[in-house]
Amino acid sequence: MPGTNHSMETGFLDPLPNLLRPAAADLLQYYRLKQLIEMRKEGPYPELTKRFQLTTAQWFRALDAVILTKVTYFDLFPEMKTEHIKLLLKAIGLAMNEPGITISELLKRSENRYLYFEEWLRKLVEINRVKIALAQQSRATQKNHVS
């Protein structure tokens, strides 16, 4: 559906009915994740509701699909701040209407269904492992310098 140069999971957009696709394409192309989350909480911006006549439920469906897609735009790397990782997971929980969803539950749900999303989540798990190991190593080093 979207014409971008980003690697992303398109499986969340594919099932959208034709009525929602123009709005979803617009959201995906022109709005940042922060704005999408804001609209998911407070409703679509007035300029959008003028261009696309959708019900509240239709807006939520389009926004949820776009948020889940947009999250996978983000390249994950070990130097990424933990707060940023938590924000991405919070966005996923919001879009899935499950604020406390765990990575392991997300992996189960995406298995063989959303292949890029599954790969993205596995990378996130690995980065968390690396971050934990580095933090433990840093604490051990500090402890040795203090002793």
Side-chain angles (χ1 to χ4, degrees):
M1 178 178 141
T4 69
N5 60 354
H6 292 279
S7 293
M8 65 182 168
E9 174 61 62
T10 60
F12 300 113
L13 298 169
D14 292 340
L16 288 179
N18 287 337
L19 175 69
L20 302 183
R21 287 175 177 263
D26 193 270
L27 291 167
L28 188 65
Q29 188 169 4
Y30 298 112
Y31 295 89
R32 296 176 176 269
L33 183 59
K34 182 178 180 178
Q35 293 171 301
L36 297 169
I37 291 168
E38 184 179 282
M39 285 189 270
R40 182 57 176 80
K41 290 178 179 177
E42 300 171 19
Y45 296 155
E47 73 261 15
L48 283 166
T49 59
K50 288 177 187 166
R51 283 202 315 269
F52 306 102
Q53 274 64 57
L54 301 176
T55 66
T56 301
Q58 290 170 327
W59 274 115
F60 283 164
R61 185 169 177 196
L63 281 162
D64 290 346
V66 172
I67 288 170
L68 291 168
T69 301
K70 191 77 108 169
V71 162
T72 65
Y73 273 24
F74 289 86
D75 289 326
L76 302 171
F77 51 93
E79 298 80 17
M80 190 174 220
K81 291 184 178 182
T82 304
E83 305 90 73
H84 293 146
I85 292 170
K86 287 180 181 178
L87 286 171
L88 291 172
L89 290 171
K90 201 172 186 176
I92 293 167
L94 175 69
M96 292 186 135
N97 291 306
E98 293 189 46
I101 195 162
T102 65
I103 294 176
S104 58
E105 183 61 33
L106 287 168
L107 279 167
K108 284 181 202 165
R109 290 189 191 181
S110 62
E111 195 170 27
N112 299 320
R113 187 168 176 203
Y114 302 112
L115 300 178
Y116 187 85
F117 185 60
E118 182 182 0
E119 178 185 317
W120 187 88
L121 286 168
R122 289 191 189 287
K123 188 172 184 181
L124 185 65
V125 168
E126 185 55 35
I127 284 170
N128 276 337
R129 280 191 198 128
V130 168
K131 290 180 89 52
I132 290 167
L134 289 173
Q136 289 171 341
Q137 185 179 23
S138 176
R139 281 195 295 274
T141 303
Q142 287 175 353
K143 195 182 268 186
N144 288 338
H145 287 311
V146 172
S147 302

